[in-house]
Amino acid sequence: MKLTESVFGLLDGKEVLEYTLTNENGVSISAIPYGAAVTKIVTPDKNGKLENITLYVTNLEDIVKHRPYYGASIGRVAGRITKGQYTLDGVDHQLDVNEGNNLLHGGPDGIDAQLWDVEKVVTDTEGKLIFSYEDPAGKNGFPGNMKLKVTFTLTANDEWVIDYDAETDAPTLFTPTNHVYFNLTGDVTQTILDHELQIASEKHGTLNGENLPTGKLEVSAGTPFDFSKSKSLRETILSDDPQLKSINGLDHPFLLKETEDAKTILFDPESGREVKVYTDMNSIVVFSHNAEMDAFHIEGEPARVHAGITLETQTLPDAINHPGFGDIVVRPEKAFHSQTTYKFGVRK
Ligand code: GAL
């Protein structure tokens, strides 16, 4: 395992480094401490050609200014919280909202917008980037001083393992994710419409006009949301179903089944690349990059409509306001730990 470093950009006049772990197969993962974010992931295609498979925002100023979430660690709570409100232990809480009346991705000053400390541990067989950050009580309105750790491990078996660890000194909410966009073609001028997706799920959540979960989980069989068998994304993303058409694609949570196998598999028939996702969280939010982002560039190109797809593992969004969606309360008595693994491979 090899670790290299280069200067990614300047933040308040100080250098922010980009770290790259590369294993014996040439698979590499690059990350920056700003947002504890993965920037670039290089994997071979079916002919052994090594290419980047993320939407890679190369300019730190753009990340700071536009907060695009690409590759970043997201929290304290991934997704939206209706009106930024919740009740815990009989007490009503109002969080700082940042998308209309609602809170999105941790609020106006989320963990994706912080400079984390980094520790590097490299052995023959694996490399770790351990990011840590203390999120003070009151930030974005959340109670509890939190000690957060996000560890990226690259293994010899082409896995990117993300461990999330957290402690708090008062009851609070926590369900993080990573917001990497994949484009397995290795070419950001292509869309992901012909990628195939499989999800170990029978139910998906529906959204209201503010992209908030309605609180209902619908049976996916017989609808465009049925990914129980691998199928092309094209028909679903371009479907006339009002849930999809109104937002130009997918931005929906899927309730994951209990299984030791991969919970989600993304496959690109053209390059042969696949990503298998394993997680202990109960859902995956699939967002198909439904608008063009022209305020910043990804590797010199505008981030086109459907240029990438996220596979965001988390507890079902707005869980604190919907009974049965999962427990996202973290208390001082018990540290939080969760793990998600993205395993890269090819089908020939
Ligand atoms: C997704 C979210 C989308 C959008 C995106 C960030 O996770 O569900 O609605 O906000 O993040 O551009």
Side-chain angles (χ1 to χ4, degrees):
M1 189 72 56
K2 202 175 73 186
L3 171 69
T4 56
E5 302 178 1
S6 58
V7 177
F8 184 73
L10 293 179
L11 189 69
D12 301 329
K14 288 205 193 100
E15 287 181 349
V16 173
L17 300 184
E18 182 180 53
Y19 302 90
T20 299
L21 294 163
T22 309
N23 73 13
E24 301 273 308
N25 305 327
V27 169
S28 74
I29 290 185
S30 302
I32 54 171
Y34 188 81
V38 75
T39 49
K40 187 167 66 160
I41 301 174
V42 171
T43 73
D45 72 0
K46 62 187 173 195
N47 301 314
K49 188 172 180 200
L50 291 167
E51 285 166 315
N52 176 34
I53 58 164
T54 68
L55 299 189
Y56 179 26
V57 185
T58 45
N59 186 338
L60 181 60
E61 280 168 33
D62 283 341
I63 297 174
V64 173
K65 184 164 168 208
H66 301 291
R67 207 182 159 201
Y69 305 119
Y70 291 39
S73 296
I74 303 288
R76 299 183 184 187
V77 174
R80 295 177 173 82
I81 299 179
T82 302
K83 294 194 167 62
Q85 292 174 346
Y86 68 97
T87 305
L88 180 61
D89 302 333
V91 179
D92 293 340
H93 292 264
Q94 177 64 59
L95 303 167
D96 302 344
V97 296
N98 60 327
E99 192 194 51
N101 294 325
N102 307 308
L103 175 138
L104 172 65
H105 290 333
D109 200 10
I111 63 171
D112 61 291
Q114 311 303 327
L115 186 64
W116 296 55
D117 289 330
V118 60
E119 190 189 327
K120 297 144 277 175
V121 182
V122 180
T123 67
D124 280 353
T125 53
E126 62 176 32
K128 281 186 194 296
L129 298 172
I130 307 166
F131 297 104
S132 50
Y133 160 67
E134 295 192 12
D135 201 47
K139 197 168 201 137
N140 302 292
F142 288 102
N145 293 293
M146 289 199 95
K147 286 191 183 148
L148 307 179
K149 212 160 76 170
V150 173
T151 305
F152 291 169
T153 305
L154 176 64
T155 71
N157 300 323
D158 303 339
E159 290 146 325
W160 168 34
V161 183
I162 310 177
D163 284 283
Y164 298 96
D165 290 281
E167 287 172 32
T168 180
D169 61 4
T172 192
L173 308 182
F174 193 65
T175 183
T177 194
N178 183 282
H179 209 290
V180 65
Y181 287 91
F182 292 109
N183 180 326
L184 303 184
T185 67
D187 174 1
V188 296
T189 67
Q190 307 277 315
T191 71
I192 48 72
L193 287 175
D194 292 318
H195 285 26
E196 290 175 19
L197 184 66
Q198 182 174 2
I199 311 179
S201 168
E202 288 168 357
K203 287 184 174 174
H204 62 279
T206 49
L207 307 177
N208 71 16
E210 287 177 281
N211 274 352
L212 293 164
T214 58
K216 287 194 202 123
L217 295 174
E218 305 285 350
V219 173
S220 307
T223 78
F225 293 90
D226 184 5
F227 288 101
S228 55
K229 296 197 181 70
S230 185
K231 76 166 188 215
S232 164
L233 281 160
R234 181 176 287 274
E235 260 179 54
T236 301
I237 291 176
L238 303 182
S239 158
D240 277 339
D241 181 305
Q243 276 285 318
L244 295 153
K245 197 170 172 110
S246 59
I247 54 170
N248 205 25
L250 282 162
D251 191 4
H252 294 77
F254 291 81
L255 178 67
L256 296 172
K257 292 205 276 193
E258 300 268 336
T259 169
E260 294 297 305
D261 295 337
K263 302 264 167 124
T264 305
I265 304 175
L266 183 68
F267 171 61
D268 170 34
E270 184 77 24
S271 66
R273 290 190 179 94
E274 72 173 5
V275 182
K276 290 184 173 172
V277 187
Y278 300 80
T279 184
D280 51 21
M281 307 224 199
N282 75 3
S283 89
I284 190 150
V285 174
V286 181
F287 179 56
S288 54
H289 201 279
N290 298 335
E292 167 148 341
M293 305 286 176
D294 52 10
F296 53 89
H297 283 95
I298 44 171
E299 296 184 85
E301 295 286 333
R304 294 178 172 79
V305 182
H306 305 143
I309 185 159
T310 66
L311 305 170
E312 301 161 54
T313 58
Q314 59 171 97
T315 307
L316 281 165
D318 208 12
I320 194 68
N321 291 313
H322 299 293
F325 269 28
D327 182 10
I328 63 164
V329 178
V330 181
R331 297 179 185 276
E333 304 80 72
K334 194 165 180 278
F336 173 97
H337 177 256
S338 175
Q339 190 178 72
T340 290
T341 297
Y342 296 93
K343 182 167 171 51
F344 306 108
V346 281
R347 285 186 222 165
K348 298 204 177 171

